[in-house]
Each structure stands twice: as C-alpha cells, then as structure tokens.
Amino acid sequence: MERRSKRKWSWGRLLRWAAFLGVILLVPVIFSGNQYHMYVTTLICIYIIVIMGLNLTLGYTGQISLGHAAFMGIGAYTVALMTLHGYSFWLALPLGAAIAFIAGLLLGLPSLRVKHHYLALVTLGFGTVVYLVMTNEHEFTGGFSGLPGIPRPNFFNLSLRSGTAFYLLVAGFLILATVVLLWILNSRWGRAFKAIRENEMRAEMVGVNLLAYKLLAFAIGAAYAAIGGGLLAPLMRFVDPTSFPVHESFWFLIMLIIGGSGRFEGPFLGVIVVMLLPELLRGTQQLFFVIFASITLVLVIFWPSGLAGLIDVFFRRVLKRNTPQLTK
Amino acid sequence: MLIQLVLSSIAIGAIYALVAMGFTLLWQASRTVNFAQGDFITVSAVLMFILVCAGVPFAWALLTTVAISGVLLGYVVKTGIIQPLIRRSQTTLIVATIALSFLASNAVATFWTAQCKAFPPVFGMTPYRVGSVALSRQHVWTIVIAIALILAVNLFIQRTKPGKAMQAVAQNREAAKVLGINISRVTTMVFIMNAVLVAFAAILIAPVYMVRFDMGAQLGLKAFYSAAIGGFNQIRGALLGGFLVGIIETFTSAYLSTEYREMFVLIILIAVILIRKEGLLGTEER
C-alpha cells in the first residue's frame, strides 16, 4: 500500500476509478425498470457511506465505535424533522452531519482519554440513550410510529422524486465521500491515523497528538454515518427507531470485517456481499445474522484482511504481478 | 415502600456486581474486554429455562446449566476464540467478542425463539414478613446467593494455590511466567469461573426479567458500567460499582424517570472517567 501510494497516478489506479464510476453510472441503465432493485442499490450506496465512516474510525485508526447506528439516526431524524418543517434538505443534511460530528467530539473527549475500550463502552451507552429518545419523545420523534411523509429533495430546479434520480443523488454523495476519504487518508491526518493504529506508543513518540487525532477520526466517522442516515430518510420517506437499534452498530462492524477492515475497498465489498446475499438467497434475516457473525469470527482469527485481502491474493496468484506477501 | 426499594436495588446491584466481577477477572487474566458477557447470561438463562420446562428437577437443571456454561462459554470460547487472538491487538480481541455477542443473541433467536418466555419463580411467591414489612423472597435470596458467591470467589483467590496463581498473572504476566505459572491454564480457569458466575447471575435474574434472546444486552452493559465506574482492574471496584449502579438505577427510575434510567448511569460513568479515569477504586495501569 505504502509503495503504491507514492506513484499517484498509475494506469491500474485510473482503470479502477473508471470501473468504479462505470458501475455507478450503469446501475440506473440496468435497474431503472425495477423500482425494488433501484431501491436496494440506493440502500447499498448509503450503507457504504456509513461503513466508510466506521472504516476510518476502526479500520484506519483502531478505535471501536458502537454508536454508528445512533449517529446514523441523528442524521436521519435531523433531515426528517427539518424537511417536514419546510427547511431545505441541503441545509438539513450538513446540519445533521455537524450535530453528529459535535456529538462525536463530546463523547470521544472523556472516553478517548482512557484505555481504548472505553470508547466502545460509552458509544454503546450513547446508542441506547439515542434509541430511547427516538422511542419515548412522541411529540418530537413520533415514537414507534415514526415520522412519515418525508419529501425527497430538489437539486436546484431538478426534482429528485423518482427512484433513479434519487439514486444518482446518493451515488454523487458516495463519490464525494470516497474522494474526501481518499484525500484524508493521503494527507498528514491519514498518516497519523495509521500510525496510531499500528502502535500508539510509537506514534506518540514521533509527536502525534494521540487524543486530537483519535477524536478527529471518530468524529469524522460519526459525520459520515449521519450523512448516510440523512440520505436514508428521504429514500424511505419515513423514519422510525427500528432502523437504528443498538445492535445495528454491531452489524455495521460485521459488514466492515467481512469486507476488510482498514482496506479502502472493505466497505464496498462488505456492504455489497452482506446486503445482496440475503436478497438473492432468501431466508430469515436472523439466520443471515448468525451466518455472517460466524464468518466474522472465523475471519478475525484466520483472515483479518477480509474479502479485500482475498481478492488481493487472487489477483496476485492469477496475474502474478507481485510475489505474495502477507501483512502481519 | 422505601425498604422494598432499597432491597430491590441491592438485589439487582448484587447481580451486576456478580457479572462485573467476572468482567474484572477476565480483564486481569487476559486483558479481554468481554462484550459478549450479557449474551452469556442469555445463553445460560435459556439453557436453564429449557431444562426446567423439560421437567428436570431444579437442582439437576441448575447443575447441568452451570456445567454446560462452564464448558461452552468458558472453555470453548477461551480455546476457540480468545487463545488464537491473545497475542494480537486488543482491538481485535474486542471486535471478536462483539461478533460473538451478535452471534449468540441471534443464534438464540433463530434456533430457539424470538419470543419472550416467563421463567417460573424459583423461590416461591409469598413474601417474608418482618413486622409490618413484606420482603420479596426473590430479592432476599438473590442477595444471599450473590454475596455467598462473591465471598467464595474471593476466598478462592486469596486462600488457594490456583487463586494465588491468578493474582500473580494479574499483577505481572512476565514474572508469573518466569515463576513457572502456566498462564494459558490460569486464563482458561478464569474463563470457566466467569462462565459459572454468569450462569448463576442468569438463574437469579431470569425470574425477574423475561427470558428472551436480547435479555442480556442491557444487563451486560450495566455490568460493564459497574466495572468501569468501580475500577476495571479491582474486584472490590467491580463490587462497589455493581451495587452503586443498582442503587442509582432503581432510585432514578422510581423518583425521576423510568424511560431514561440508562441515561443517568451513562452520565455517572462519564463523570467518573472525567474525574478519575481508573474508576473509583481502580489503580493506574500501564
């Protein structure tokens, strides 16, 4: 990875980007006839954004957040409440992300000072509290009956009501999220994040401000989740607490591990596989929870680089570009 | 009314203390933060429920549950999941226990039932009467059994040879290894002890809560808070934290708000780690 990042523009990289954009733009051509397929594809894009945020926090910086469902809920409810009261989506979405960012700072500040499992513990509690607010503050959040009738936004004068148009909006955000994350990872910040993940003490020795960078990685991850949530609300045109239960954050973690934690492709592979397989195979959701959680345990023990690592090995074997090299 | 509240807060606190003590034991022996602790409670409670419903006499059901929990949640989890990961980063270990938690609760929901079941009362329904005050049998016996278990564990750690080996491993792994203590074996023993404690906690809590695939989630979190508030690396910290959380929770939900009782405990936790990050009775760690 480090070697590759020195050559900023290689043909392989350009090809991968072209393929990424190509797939995103091909989707509406293929699925525009089928509303449900379009919906699932949009949903996948949204969850990729959320898991990218988790990847920054967990995969690149090594901090465990169990509050991502709550941050997603914050984004969704901010957009839902504001657009229902007549404010613009384009104001509501950044505001939701900002609230989640600040909530991330406030939660991280006490818990990241201590040993790192405290973040997981405090965010788990935060997830519970946010869920309680969603279910109990009836006048405000609609309680269990949720908030129906959320409008879909306009892009300048263009209405994004149709499934395809809304997908293109979400895909635009996905591309934006991808570019921003790449930029962060290749900046000074990104190097500091990875240094913290690899060895905290060493990172501190070379002058990385541990608390500041951990806070930043966690708060940016939270903002990513809120943007995902803010897109989910107008997609479903309805929000209710059942989309953001506490255990959903556990599920996000599983998606990331399956895709490949700390790998840029991880969230893409993880979300696509974990969300598409149940669609294709049919079966109760709970059964797939059991299957994917078992796979995750096996992966954590035997193959920590997940699907991304598997694809790497496949390409190396097939194309024989490099000698196989296993990272730790 | 006040006396009943105090009694029930001590009873629930005793259960938190029991589970939190398991947490600190695991932390001391293997630096494992077990996010599946709550789901261990669920699994044990479901086992007990199935056995009791199948008509097994109570004592035998209890023994079988404790034995199966010890093997499955202690030995199998330790050798299958924790042992291969113990040399990797702590983040990896935590992620594994999170996945285990998700696996356990959903496996119960899939292969048993997602509905909640009422557990038959274990200690009988008629309350004890002391003068004009009625004391719930369930609460009294929960306190008695939990305190007996806590005392037994402490005696074991302080008086027996394996217990002293546990203390040695907790204080200094390297030195313990040099002195010829089999660290892996001690860790296995601690995992089994934790599983047994959790199984007892499950049997004590099951008649109060309903038996359900997600019954452990809140309990595990509360026990976790207890350990963090009291001090993660001290057994007495976990005990203090457990009773404290039980009392805070019972009294805030009685006098302030039932819906937001989780919030008060979270606020106290954040306050504690802001003021004294090792927890009330914890000691500084490297």
Side-chain angles (χ1 to χ4, degrees):
Chain A
M1 192 68 208
E2 295 310 318
R3 242 180 308 146
R4 243 182 289 155
S5 61
K6 276 181 193 159
R7 294 178 284 140
K8 274 221 154 156
W9 289 107
S10 67
W11 281 107
R13 206 165 242 230
L14 210 61
L15 205 70
R16 248 181 288 169
W17 272 100
F20 174 52
L21 289 177
V23 168
I24 281 181
L25 291 174
L26 262 180
V27 165
V29 180
I30 301 167
F31 290 145
S32 58
N34 186 325
Q35 282 294 315
Y36 182 67
H37 289 169
M38 203 72 231
Y39 174 83
V40 172
T41 316
T42 315
L43 209 58
I44 287 177
C45 290
I46 288 174
Y47 278 98
I48 290 176
I49 296 177
V50 176
I51 308 297
M52 275 169 101
L54 187 62
N55 198 19
L56 180 66
T57 310
L58 173 64
Y60 287 103
T61 322
Q63 307 302 313
I64 300 174
S65 158
L66 290 174
H68 258 61
F71 293 127
M72 202 180 170
I74 287 176
Y77 272 88
T78 309
V79 166
L81 286 167
M82 284 188 71
T83 51
L84 281 173
H85 287 89
Y87 293 98
S88 162
F89 168 81
W90 299 98
L91 180 68
L93 190 72
L95 187 72
I99 294 174
F101 187 86
I102 292 166
L105 290 181
L106 290 179
L107 284 177
L109 204 54
S111 47
L112 284 169
R113 284 168 61 241
V114 204
K115 283 175 297 274
H116 60 284
H117 59 259
Y118 277 72
L119 183 69
L121 172 59
V122 169
T123 49
L124 188 58
F126 177 69
T128 315
V129 172
V130 169
Y131 185 74
L132 287 175
V133 172
M134 288 182 206
T135 50
N136 286 317
E137 297 303 309
H138 300 277
E139 307 105 76
F140 180 53
T141 62
F144 269 116
S145 31
L147 296 167
I150 298 162
R152 283 195 179 162
N154 288 342
F155 187 64
F156 296 105
N157 287 327
L158 212 67
S159 162
L160 301 175
R161 283 194 71 124
S162 82
T164 312
F166 191 76
Y167 163 76
L168 286 174
L169 172 80
V170 172
F173 272 104
L174 177 60
I175 293 170
L176 190 69
T178 309
V179 172
V180 169
L181 189 64
L182 266 181
W183 175 71
I184 291 175
L185 290 176
N186 284 316
S187 72
R188 227 184 121 79
W189 291 1
R191 287 194 297 276
F193 293 156
K194 283 178 228 168
I196 292 173
R197 178 190 59 185
E198 293 309 325
N199 189 331
E200 272 193 25
M201 223 186 282
R202 200 167 58 201
E204 199 173 19
M205 294 284 249
V206 297
V208 174
N209 183 339
L210 288 185
L211 181 63
Y213 280 105
K214 284 183 196 171
L215 265 178
L216 202 60
F218 173 55
I220 296 173
Y224 264 69
I227 289 174
L231 292 168
L232 186 72
L235 170 71
M236 303 199 299
R237 295 182 174 177
F238 172 73
V239 286
D240 73 340
T242 55
S243 305
F244 317 104
V246 179
H247 70 245
E248 188 80 355
S249 299
F250 289 45
W251 185 228
F252 292 165
L253 214 111
I254 285 173
M255 289 202 223
L256 179 61
I257 303 286
I258 288 180
S261 170
R263 296 291 309 261
F264 199 81
E265 317 87 298
F268 294 87
L269 295 167
V271 173
I272 291 172
V273 167
V274 168
M275 289 185 70
L276 273 189
L277 270 186
E279 292 287 336
L280 296 175
L281 296 176
R282 312 262 160 212
T284 62
Q285 199 190 17
Q286 225 124 32
L287 183 65
F288 281 100
F289 282 166
V290 174
I291 294 170
F292 283 122
S294 316
I295 293 176
T296 304
L297 272 177
V298 174
L299 284 177
V300 167
I301 296 169
F302 297 107
W303 193 261
S305 54
L307 282 172
L310 210 62
I311 289 180
D312 265 9
V313 170
F314 174 77
F315 272 107
R316 281 200 195 109
R317 291 268 161 80
V318 174
L319 304 176
K320 286 192 178 132
R321 264 196 198 151
N322 265 322
T323 44
Q325 141 215 357
L326 278 175
T327 42
K328 290 192 297 158
Chain B
M1 174 66 183
L2 189 67
I3 292 172
Q4 273 92 344
L5 266 185
V6 170
L7 191 72
S8 81
S9 70
I10 294 177
I12 191 80
I15 289 172
Y16 293 156
L18 210 56
V19 182
M21 187 166 74
F23 260 130
T24 57
L25 288 175
L26 292 186
W27 169 258
Q28 290 184 333
S30 65
R31 293 288 178 267
T32 307
V33 184
N34 185 17
F35 272 83
Q37 190 86 337
D39 305 279
F40 283 12
I41 297 179
T42 313
V43 170
S44 305
V46 167
L47 268 174
M48 185 72 187
F49 181 83
I50 292 172
L51 288 170
V52 168
C53 286
V56 180
F58 185 80
W60 283 108
L62 178 75
L63 270 177
T64 321
T65 307
V66 169
I68 295 179
S69 297
V71 172
L72 186 71
L73 307 174
Y75 184 76
V76 173
V77 166
K78 154 70 171 52
T79 36
I81 297 167
I82 306 299
Q83 191 65 45
L85 292 176
I86 215 156
R87 289 190 178 280
R88 298 235 214 106
S89 75
Q90 219 176 26
T91 310
T92 317
L93 213 52
I94 296 178
V95 167
T97 62
I98 290 171
L100 182 64
S101 154
F102 199 76
L103 173 64
S105 60
N106 283 297
V108 168
T110 310
F111 302 118
W112 186 57
T113 172
Q115 256 121 51
C116 58
K117 302 274 185 188
F119 197 88
V122 178
F123 305 105
M125 296 291 278
T126 45
Y128 294 114
R129 296 205 166 270
V130 181
S132 61
V133 189
L135 302 174
S136 146
R137 268 170 192 267
Q138 176 71 35
H139 289 154
V140 171
W141 279 103
T142 299
I143 295 169
V144 170
I145 294 173
I147 289 177
L149 281 168
I150 290 166
L151 287 178
V153 168
N154 277 299
L155 272 180
F156 177 78
I157 291 174
Q158 279 157 13
R159 296 286 163 79
T160 65
K161 215 170 173 193
K164 285 182 179 156
M166 274 168 59
Q167 274 185 305
V169 172
Q171 279 162 13
N172 191 332
R173 293 180 79 82
E174 297 308 314
K177 206 186 240 169
V178 172
L179 290 174
I181 293 172
N182 185 339
I183 293 191
S184 173
R185 195 186 293 161
V186 170
T187 314
T188 309
M189 193 177 72
V190 172
F191 266 84
I192 293 173
M193 254 170 85
N194 173 60
V196 170
L197 287 177
V198 164
F200 274 104
I203 293 158
L204 293 176
I205 197 76
V208 185
Y209 278 35
M210 296 284 200
V211 180
R212 208 180 113 121
F213 71 99
D214 58 356
M215 67 181 275
Q218 284 308 317
L219 272 166
L221 184 61
K222 239 50 102 26
F224 211 150
Y225 282 158
S226 310
I229 288 174
F232 227 90
N233 54 11
Q234 293 290 327
I235 290 181
R236 56 204 165 93
L239 299 181
L240 174 74
F243 287 109
L244 218 57
V245 169
I247 291 166
I248 294 167
E249 190 190 61
T250 312
F251 280 86
T252 48
S253 56
Y255 293 112
L256 288 171
S257 153
T258 328
E259 288 91 358
Y260 290 109
R261 57 179 187 189
E262 329 282 340
M263 198 167 72
F264 299 114
V265 187
L266 179 67
I267 290 171
I268 304 249
L269 169 71
I270 290 178
V272 166
I273 58 178
L274 274 176
I275 296 162
R276 194 181 147 78
K277 64 181 182 181
E278 309 83 44
L280 295 176
L281 296 179
T283 49
E284 188 94 41
E285 273 182 36
R286 273 190 305 117

